[in-house]
Amino acid sequence: MLFRSGLSDPKLDDLVDSDLLAYARLVAKQGVSAGYVGDRKSRVTAEPHASAKGHLREAMDQLWKDARRGRVLLCDDRAGELLGGTLSVPLARVPKMNPDRTVSDKGRLVWDQRVLNEGTNEGAHPPALQPRHREVVRLILWWSLRLPGIPILLAKKDVAEAFKWIWIDPNDVPLFGADLPGADVGVPGRTITAVYLCLTFGFTGSPGQWMVWAWLMKLYHSSFKLEGPEWHDTVPLASFYLMDDQVLVEPDIGRRPAESARVATEAMLLILGPHASNAEKDLEEGAWETRKLVWGLNYDTESMSLALPRSEEHTSELQ
């Protein structure tokens, strides 16, 4: 297991929680232990769910992309005994959402890992507590009282392929398999098996294990204050992570917004790797604005209101 060079940077020792950092460094060396108690000898096969069967070419494209990045081992049934003990689960597909919350024509692979999850104690993994809208609202209101008349800006950042940055303990890799019929992906007469080396979207431990890294990036970001308090105030930078979606809240003074976004990206690249920042999403949602769609709600820091998208009758004052 390769150690992330950025994660070993000694400057992190003084900027983030020591226990959280120690755990992340351990995972970077050894991988995540699934904590599975069950049969590890039988070869378990599975067919994709109906939602995935009509999109197997798309599924194979995603698997091949991950294989090129060293995140998945691809083979077919000729591997024979080498696949002994591999637990394959059914793949499903759910449509992705566009930034405006409309349904995209692209899909996301979901792993139906009920067999693995039933044999895994979710409590053995870190908690996956998520921020709530009221936390963002409080920060907006706090800044509006601290700096009356100053616009409060919002920006969003996204971690590319979040779960896939976190390796699995090599001893547990056989638990993360999936099968595809070869005939639908250009290999007739064979069954393609994908065995993942990183966390999957469907494993009960993935959300909590991911939030360790989200919190490291959040703590790194909030450890910075800008020089020149007469221009930038004395308050540290602040953000919220809902899984891989980061929301930044800053007053429009000096270089605060620009520096906040820069440090947020710096945290991703340092802690996860050089390709962790989702540049495509940055172009769509990364601009600093007083009106922003945040976790399914439209925020307006000028009128101090929240609204469901395209449903003005649901508008309510921030309280």
Side-chain angles (χ1 to χ4, degrees):
M1 190 60 59
L2 295 177
F3 192 87
R4 290 180 174 83
S5 57
L7 198 63
S8 64
D9 193 322
K11 74 179 180 182
L12 289 174
D13 297 336
D14 300 321
L15 298 178
V16 300
D17 182 81
S18 58
D19 290 337
L20 200 66
L21 180 60
Y23 181 76
R25 285 172 170 169
L26 180 66
V27 169
K29 286 182 177 179
Q30 300 180 2
V32 169
S33 175
Y36 175 69
V37 178
D39 181 13
R40 288 175 175 260
K41 296 181 179 179
S42 301
R43 168 68 173 115
V44 179
T45 60
E47 292 187 1
H49 284 307
S51 61
K53 284 185 175 179
H55 303 273
L56 292 180
R57 176 61 66 176
E58 178 189 53
M60 192 62 201
D61 287 344
Q62 292 185 28
L63 294 174
W64 182 246
K65 178 181 177 181
D66 287 336
R68 292 176 60 190
R69 297 182 178 181
R71 292 167 170 163
V72 60
L73 302 176
L74 289 176
C75 59
D76 62 34
D77 45 18
R78 285 172 291 188
E81 294 182 358
L82 293 176
L83 289 173
T86 299
L87 170 60
S88 289
V89 301
L91 290 178
R93 178 190 184 271
V94 294
K96 291 184 178 181
M97 302 295 291
N98 294 313
D100 61 0
R101 309 310 295 168
T102 58
V103 178
S104 169
D105 57 356
K106 297 180 180 179
R108 182 192 307 276
L109 283 181
V110 179
W111 297 58
D112 181 358
Q113 293 180 284
R114 279 177 285 186
V115 175
L116 175 59
N117 292 339
E118 288 169 0
T120 301
N121 178 9
E122 185 177 356
H125 296 279
L129 298 177
Q130 302 296 302
R132 301 188 178 187
H133 281 287
R134 61 174 176 252
E135 297 177 58
V136 182
V137 169
R138 286 177 185 148
L139 183 55
I140 293 171
L141 291 174
W142 186 87
W143 272 119
S144 70
L145 293 173
R146 184 175 178 86
L147 300 175
I150 299 298
I152 310 302
L153 303 179
L154 306 173
K156 293 173 64 178
K157 298 191 71 64
D158 181 81
V159 180
E161 305 170 324
F163 288 179
K164 297 176 182 179
W165 292 103
I166 306 173
W167 300 109
I168 299 166
D169 184 325
N171 294 316
D172 290 336
V173 163
L175 301 172
F176 291 81
D179 299 327
L180 292 176
D184 294 279
V185 293
V187 190
R190 296 294 177 186
T191 297
I192 305 298
T193 297
V195 183
Y196 263 79
L197 310 178
C198 57
L199 291 179
T200 51
F201 192 80
F203 173 49
T204 188
S206 292
Q209 292 290 349
W210 160 252
M211 287 308 296
V212 170
W213 305 86
W215 268 97
L216 281 176
M217 292 183 288
K218 173 182 168 65
L219 291 174
Y220 180 90
H221 179 260
S222 64
S223 70
F224 285 84
K225 295 181 181 180
L226 273 67
E227 295 180 351
E230 68 276 14
W231 293 104
H232 304 113
D233 208 320
T234 59
V235 181
L237 303 176
S239 68
F240 303 92
Y241 261 101
L242 184 73
M243 295 309 290
D244 56 348
D245 291 327
Q246 185 182 24
V247 173
L248 310 174
V249 181
E250 295 292 348
D252 189 12
I253 56 174
R255 302 193 315 276
R256 276 195 73 103
E259 287 299 294
S260 180
R262 183 190 65 79
V263 174
T265 300
E266 179 178 288
M268 293 181 189
L269 304 185
L270 176 66
I271 291 172
L272 291 175
H275 304 291
S277 179
N278 191 332
E280 182 178 348
K281 278 287 187 71
D282 265 2
L283 292 175
E284 296 175 344
E285 303 180 285
W288 288 96
E289 301 170 305
T290 57
R291 298 177 181 177
K292 183 73 72 174
L293 180 67
V294 175
W295 309 333
L297 292 179
N298 282 325
Y299 277 66
D300 188 331
T301 62
E302 294 182 16
S303 63
M304 287 296 175
S305 63
L306 285 176
L308 292 169
R310 298 187 299 278
S311 299
E312 296 300 327
E313 65 273 15
H314 293 292
T315 302
S316 61
E317 292 300 316
L318 291 174
Q319 297 181 4

mmCIF file with all atom_site columns, all heavy atoms in Angstrom, residues 94-109:
data_model
loop_
_atom_site.group_PDB
_atom_site.id
_atom_site.type_symbol
_atom_site.label_atom_id
_atom_site.label_alt_id
_atom_site.label_comp_id
_atom_site.label_asym_id
_atom_site.label_entity_id
_atom_site.label_seq_id
_atom_site.pdbx_PDB_ins_code
_atom_site.Cartn_x
_atom_site.Cartn_y
_atom_site.Cartn_z
_atom_site.occupancy
_atom_site.B_iso_or_equiv
_atom_site.pdbx_formal_charge
_atom_site.auth_seq_id
_atom_site.auth_comp_id
_atom_site.auth_asym_id
_atom_site.auth_atom_id
_atom_site.pdbx_PDB_model_num
ATOM 1   N N   . VAL A 1 94  ? -28.018 4.277  -10.911 1.00 0.00 ? 94  VAL A N   1
ATOM 2   C CA  . VAL A 1 94  ? -28.938 5.376  -10.615 1.00 0.00 ? 94  VAL A CA  1
ATOM 3   C C   . VAL A 1 94  ? -28.509 6.580  -11.453 1.00 0.00 ? 94  VAL A C   1
ATOM 4   O O   . VAL A 1 94  ? -27.312 6.803  -11.665 1.00 0.00 ? 94  VAL A O   1
ATOM 5   C CB  . VAL A 1 94  ? -28.939 5.736  -9.117  1.00 0.00 ? 94  VAL A CB  1
ATOM 6   C CG1 . VAL A 1 94  ? -29.503 4.594  -8.293  1.00 0.00 ? 94  VAL A CG1 1
ATOM 7   C CG2 . VAL A 1 94  ? -27.540 6.093  -8.638  1.00 0.00 ? 94  VAL A CG2 1
ATOM 8   N N   . PRO A 1 95  ? -29.454 7.366  -11.965 1.00 0.00 ? 95  PRO A N   1
ATOM 9   C CA  . PRO A 1 95  ? -29.084 8.536  -12.767 1.00 0.00 ? 95  PRO A CA  1
ATOM 10  C C   . PRO A 1 95  ? -28.376 9.575  -11.896 1.00 0.00 ? 95  PRO A C   1
ATOM 11  O O   . PRO A 1 95  ? -28.697 9.757  -10.721 1.00 0.00 ? 95  PRO A O   1
ATOM 12  C CB  . PRO A 1 95  ? -30.429 9.071  -13.269 1.00 0.00 ? 95  PRO A CB  1
ATOM 13  C CG  . PRO A 1 95  ? -31.399 7.967  -13.065 1.00 0.00 ? 95  PRO A CG  1
ATOM 14  C CD  . PRO A 1 95  ? -30.912 7.189  -11.887 1.00 0.00 ? 95  PRO A CD  1
ATOM 15  N N   . LYS A 1 96  ? -27.414 10.270 -12.482 1.00 0.00 ? 96  LYS A N   1
ATOM 16  C CA  . LYS A 1 96  ? -26.784 11.388 -11.809 1.00 0.00 ? 96  LYS A CA  1
ATOM 17  C C   . LYS A 1 96  ? -27.682 12.623 -11.932 1.00 0.00 ? 96  LYS A C   1
ATOM 18  O O   . LYS A 1 96  ? -28.558 12.680 -12.777 1.00 0.00 ? 96  LYS A O   1
ATOM 19  C CB  . LYS A 1 96  ? -25.409 11.677 -12.422 1.00 0.00 ? 96  LYS A CB  1
ATOM 20  C CG  . LYS A 1 96  ? -24.367 10.598 -12.151 1.00 0.00 ? 96  LYS A CG  1
ATOM 21  C CD  . LYS A 1 96  ? -23.013 11.004 -12.710 1.00 0.00 ? 96  LYS A CD  1
ATOM 22  C CE  . LYS A 1 96  ? -21.949 9.954  -12.391 1.00 0.00 ? 96  LYS A CE  1
ATOM 23  N NZ  . LYS A 1 96  ? -20.611 10.361 -12.918 1.00 0.00 ? 96  LYS A NZ  1
ATOM 24  N N   . MET A 1 97  ? -27.415 13.588 -11.061 1.00 0.00 ? 97  MET A N   1
ATOM 25  C CA  . MET A 1 97  ? -28.167 14.840 -11.088 1.00 0.00 ? 97  MET A CA  1
ATOM 26  C C   . MET A 1 97  ? -27.295 15.950 -11.634 1.00 0.00 ? 97  MET A C   1
ATOM 27  O O   . MET A 1 97  ? -26.105 16.036 -11.322 1.00 0.00 ? 97  MET A O   1
ATOM 28  C CB  . MET A 1 97  ? -28.657 15.208 -9.691  1.00 0.00 ? 97  MET A CB  1
ATOM 29  C CG  . MET A 1 97  ? -29.543 14.157 -9.040  1.00 0.00 ? 97  MET A CG  1
ATOM 30  S SD  . MET A 1 97  ? -31.100 13.918 -9.904  1.00 0.00 ? 97  MET A SD  1
ATOM 31  C CE  . MET A 1 97  ? -31.927 15.467 -9.548  1.00 0.00 ? 97  MET A CE  1
ATOM 32  N N   . ASN A 1 98  ? -27.882 16.809 -12.473 1.00 0.00 ? 98  ASN A N   1
ATOM 33  C CA  . ASN A 1 98  ? -27.191 18.005 -12.944 1.00 0.00 ? 98  ASN A CA  1
ATOM 34  C C   . ASN A 1 98  ? -27.147 19.041 -11.828 1.00 0.00 ? 98  ASN A C   1
ATOM 35  O O   . ASN A 1 98  ? -27.889 18.942 -10.844 1.00 0.00 ? 98  ASN A O   1
ATOM 36  C CB  . ASN A 1 98  ? -27.911 18.575 -14.171 1.00 0.00 ? 98  ASN A CB  1
ATOM 37  C CG  . ASN A 1 98  ? -27.840 17.634 -15.359 1.00 0.00 ? 98  ASN A CG  1
ATOM 38  O OD1 . ASN A 1 98  ? -26.778 17.109 -15.687 1.00 0.00 ? 98  ASN A OD1 1
ATOM 39  N ND2 . ASN A 1 98  ? -28.977 17.426 -16.021 1.00 0.00 ? 98  ASN A ND2 1
ATOM 40  N N   . PRO A 1 99  ? -26.283 20.052 -11.941 1.00 0.00 ? 99  PRO A N   1
ATOM 41  C CA  . PRO A 1 99  ? -26.217 21.086 -10.902 1.00 0.00 ? 99  PRO A CA  1
ATOM 42  C C   . PRO A 1 99  ? -27.551 21.759 -10.613 1.00 0.00 ? 99  PRO A C   1
ATOM 43  O O   . PRO A 1 99  ? -27.799 22.198 -9.497  1.00 0.00 ? 99  PRO A O   1
ATOM 44  C CB  . PRO A 1 99  ? -25.198 22.084 -11.472 1.00 0.00 ? 99  PRO A CB  1
ATOM 45  C CG  . PRO A 1 99  ? -24.320 21.256 -12.351 1.00 0.00 ? 99  PRO A CG  1
ATOM 46  C CD  . PRO A 1 99  ? -25.231 20.232 -12.963 1.00 0.00 ? 99  PRO A CD  1
ATOM 47  N N   . ASP A 1 100 ? -28.446 21.842 -11.636 1.00 0.00 ? 100 ASP A N   1
ATOM 48  C CA  . ASP A 1 100 ? -29.744 22.476 -11.423 1.00 0.00 ? 100 ASP A CA  1
ATOM 49  C C   . ASP A 1 100 ? -30.791 21.489 -10.913 1.00 0.00 ? 100 ASP A C   1
ATOM 50  O O   . ASP A 1 100 ? -31.990 21.793 -10.904 1.00 0.00 ? 100 ASP A O   1
ATOM 51  C CB  . ASP A 1 100 ? -30.237 23.138 -12.711 1.00 0.00 ? 100 ASP A CB  1
ATOM 52  C CG  . ASP A 1 100 ? -30.433 22.123 -13.848 1.00 0.00 ? 100 ASP A CG  1
ATOM 53  O OD1 . ASP A 1 100 ? -30.183 20.916 -13.644 1.00 0.00 ? 100 ASP A OD1 1
ATOM 54  O OD2 . ASP A 1 100 ? -30.828 22.552 -14.951 1.00 0.00 ? 100 ASP A OD2 1
ATOM 55  N N   . ARG A 1 101 ? -30.331 20.286 -10.506 1.00 0.00 ? 101 ARG A N   1
ATOM 56  C CA  . ARG A 1 101 ? -31.166 19.232 -9.927  1.00 0.00 ? 101 ARG A CA  1
ATOM 57  C C   . ARG A 1 101 ? -32.052 18.536 -10.940 1.00 0.00 ? 101 ARG A C   1
ATOM 58  O O   . ARG A 1 101 ? -32.962 17.783 -10.567 1.00 0.00 ? 101 ARG A O   1
ATOM 59  C CB  . ARG A 1 101 ? -32.042 19.769 -8.780  1.00 0.00 ? 101 ARG A CB  1
ATOM 60  C CG  . ARG A 1 101 ? -31.290 20.548 -7.727  1.00 0.00 ? 101 ARG A CG  1
ATOM 61  C CD  . ARG A 1 101 ? -30.057 19.808 -7.225  1.00 0.00 ? 101 ARG A CD  1
ATOM 62  N NE  . ARG A 1 101 ? -30.403 18.584 -6.524  1.00 0.00 ? 101 ARG A NE  1
ATOM 63  C CZ  . ARG A 1 101 ? -29.521 17.650 -6.182  1.00 0.00 ? 101 ARG A CZ  1
ATOM 64  N NH1 . ARG A 1 101 ? -28.261 17.780 -6.522  1.00 0.00 ? 101 ARG A NH1 1
ATOM 65  N NH2 . ARG A 1 101 ? -29.895 16.584 -5.521  1.00 0.00 ? 101 ARG A NH2 1
ATOM 66  N N   . THR A 1 102 ? -31.832 18.738 -12.228 1.00 0.00 ? 102 THR A N   1
ATOM 67  C CA  . THR A 1 102 ? -32.504 17.933 -13.233 1.00 0.00 ? 102 THR A CA  1
ATOM 68  C C   . THR A 1 102 ? -31.742 16.626 -13.397 1.00 0.00 ? 102 THR A C   1
ATOM 69  O O   . THR A 1 102 ? -30.574 16.506 -13.024 1.00 0.00 ? 102 THR A O   1
ATOM 70  C CB  . THR A 1 102 ? -32.576 18.675 -14.581 1.00 0.00 ? 102 THR A CB  1
ATOM 71  O OG1 . THR A 1 102 ? -31.231 19.004 -15.004 1.00 0.00 ? 102 THR A OG1 1
ATOM 72  C CG2 . THR A 1 102 ? -33.387 19.952 -14.449 1.00 0.00 ? 102 THR A CG2 1
ATOM 73  N N   . VAL A 1 103 ? -32.418 15.633 -13.956 1.00 0.00 ? 103 VAL A N   1
ATOM 74  C CA  . VAL A 1 103 ? -31.813 14.310 -14.087 1.00 0.00 ? 103 VAL A CA  1
ATOM 75  C C   . VAL A 1 103 ? -30.878 14.283 -15.286 1.00 0.00 ? 103 VAL A C   1
ATOM 76  O O   . VAL A 1 103 ? -31.251 14.678 -16.397 1.00 0.00 ? 103 VAL A O   1
ATOM 77  C CB  . VAL A 1 103 ? -32.903 13.226 -14.232 1.00 0.00 ? 103 VAL A CB  1
ATOM 78  C CG1 . VAL A 1 103 ? -32.266 11.857 -14.421 1.00 0.00 ? 103 VAL A CG1 1
ATOM 79  C CG2 . VAL A 1 103 ? -33.806 13.225 -13.004 1.00 0.00 ? 103 VAL A CG2 1
ATOM 80  N N   . SER A 1 104 ? -29.670 13.812 -15.079 1.00 0.00 ? 104 SER A N   1
ATOM 81  C CA  . SER A 1 104 ? -28.689 13.716 -16.146 1.00 0.00 ? 104 SER A CA  1
ATOM 82  C C   . SER A 1 104 ? -28.891 12.428 -16.940 1.00 0.00 ? 104 SER A C   1
ATOM 83  O O   . SER A 1 104 ? -29.517 11.473 -16.470 1.00 0.00 ? 104 SER A O   1
ATOM 84  C CB  . SER A 1 104 ? -27.281 13.730 -15.526 1.00 0.00 ? 104 SER A CB  1
ATOM 85  O OG  . SER A 1 104 ? -26.299 13.395 -16.490 1.00 0.00 ? 104 SER A OG  1
ATOM 86  N N   . ASP A 1 105 ? -28.373 12.406 -18.160 1.00 0.00 ? 105 ASP A N   1
ATOM 87  C CA  . ASP A 1 105 ? -28.423 11.175 -18.944 1.00 0.00 ? 105 ASP A CA  1
ATOM 88  C C   . ASP A 1 105 ? -27.281 10.237 -18.572 1.00 0.00 ? 105 ASP A C   1
ATOM 89  O O   . ASP A 1 105 ? -27.190 9.120  -19.085 1.00 0.00 ? 105 ASP A O   1
ATOM 90  C CB  . ASP A 1 105 ? -28.390 11.484 -20.444 1.00 0.00 ? 105 ASP A CB  1
ATOM 91  C CG  . ASP A 1 105 ? -27.153 12.287 -20.844 1.00 0.00 ? 105 ASP A CG  1
ATOM 92  O OD1 . ASP A 1 105 ? -26.355 12.672 -19.958 1.00 0.00 ? 105 ASP A OD1 1
ATOM 93  O OD2 . ASP A 1 105 ? -26.979 12.522 -22.053 1.00 0.00 ? 105 ASP A OD2 1
ATOM 94  N N   . LYS A 1 106 ? -26.397 10.689 -17.670 1.00 0.00 ? 106 LYS A N   1
ATOM 95  C CA  . LYS A 1 106 ? -25.310 9.850  -17.181 1.00 0.00 ? 106 LYS A CA  1
ATOM 96  C C   . LYS A 1 106 ? -25.746 9.145  -15.897 1.00 0.00 ? 106 LYS A C   1
ATOM 97  O O   . LYS A 1 106 ? -26.606 9.634  -15.167 1.00 0.00 ? 106 LYS A O   1
ATOM 98  C CB  . LYS A 1 106 ? -24.063 10.690 -16.918 1.00 0.00 ? 106 LYS A CB  1
ATOM 99  C CG  . LYS A 1 106 ? -23.482 11.356 -18.155 1.00 0.00 ? 106 LYS A CG  1
ATOM 100 C CD  . LYS A 1 106 ? -22.253 12.172 -17.817 1.00 0.00 ? 106 LYS A CD  1
ATOM 101 C CE  . LYS A 1 106 ? -21.683 12.845 -19.060 1.00 0.00 ? 106 LYS A CE  1
ATOM 102 N NZ  . LYS A 1 106 ? -20.489 13.675 -18.731 1.00 0.00 ? 106 LYS A NZ  1
ATOM 103 N N   . GLY A 1 107 ? -25.137 7.995  -15.638 1.00 0.00 ? 107 GLY A N   1
ATOM 104 C CA  . GLY A 1 107 ? -25.512 7.217  -14.461 1.00 0.00 ? 107 GLY A CA  1
ATOM 105 C C   . GLY A 1 107 ? -24.345 6.945  -13.541 1.00 0.00 ? 107 GLY A C   1
ATOM 106 O O   . GLY A 1 107 ? -23.181 7.113  -13.900 1.00 0.00 ? 107 GLY A O   1
ATOM 107 N N   . ARG A 1 108 ? -24.676 6.532  -12.317 1.00 0.00 ? 108 ARG A N   1
ATOM 108 C CA  . ARG A 1 108 ? -23.680 6.169  -11.311 1.00 0.00 ? 108 ARG A CA  1
ATOM 109 C C   . ARG A 1 108 ? -23.859 4.693  -10.951 1.00 0.00 ? 108 ARG A C   1
ATOM 110 O O   . ARG A 1 108 ? -24.980 4.226  -10.741 1.00 0.00 ? 108 ARG A O   1
ATOM 111 C CB  . ARG A 1 108 ? -23.860 7.023  -10.058 1.00 0.00 ? 108 ARG A CB  1
ATOM 112 C CG  . ARG A 1 108 ? -22.824 6.754  -8.964  1.00 0.00 ? 108 ARG A CG  1
ATOM 113 C CD  . ARG A 1 108 ? -23.226 7.411  -7.661  1.00 0.00 ? 108 ARG A CD  1
ATOM 114 N NE  . ARG A 1 108 ? -23.500 8.821  -7.818  1.00 0.00 ? 108 ARG A NE  1
ATOM 115 C CZ  . ARG A 1 108 ? -22.564 9.762  -7.796  1.00 0.00 ? 108 ARG A CZ  1
ATOM 116 N NH1 . ARG A 1 108 ? -21.292 9.431  -7.653  1.00 0.00 ? 108 ARG A NH1 1
ATOM 117 N NH2 . ARG A 1 108 ? -22.896 11.033 -7.927  1.00 0.00 ? 108 ARG A NH2 1
ATOM 118 N N   . LEU A 1 109 ? -22.755 3.958  -10.898 1.00 0.00 ? 109 LEU A N   1
ATOM 119 C CA  . LEU A 1 109 ? -22.814 2.565  -10.475 1.00 0.00 ? 109 LEU A CA  1
ATOM 120 C C   . LEU A 1 109 ? -23.017 2.481  -8.964  1.00 0.00 ? 109 LEU A C   1
ATOM 121 O O   . LEU A 1 109 ? -22.363 3.183  -8.192  1.00 0.00 ? 109 LEU A O   1
ATOM 122 C CB  . LEU A 1 109 ? -21.533 1.834  -10.842 1.00 0.00 ? 109 LEU A CB  1
ATOM 123 C CG  . LEU A 1 109 ? -21.331 1.422  -12.300 1.00 0.00 ? 109 LEU A CG  1
ATOM 124 C CD1 . LEU A 1 109 ? -20.007 0.691  -12.458 1.00 0.00 ? 109 LEU A CD1 1
ATOM 125 C CD2 . LEU A 1 109 ? -22.471 0.537  -12.782 1.00 0.00 ? 109 LEU A CD2 1
#
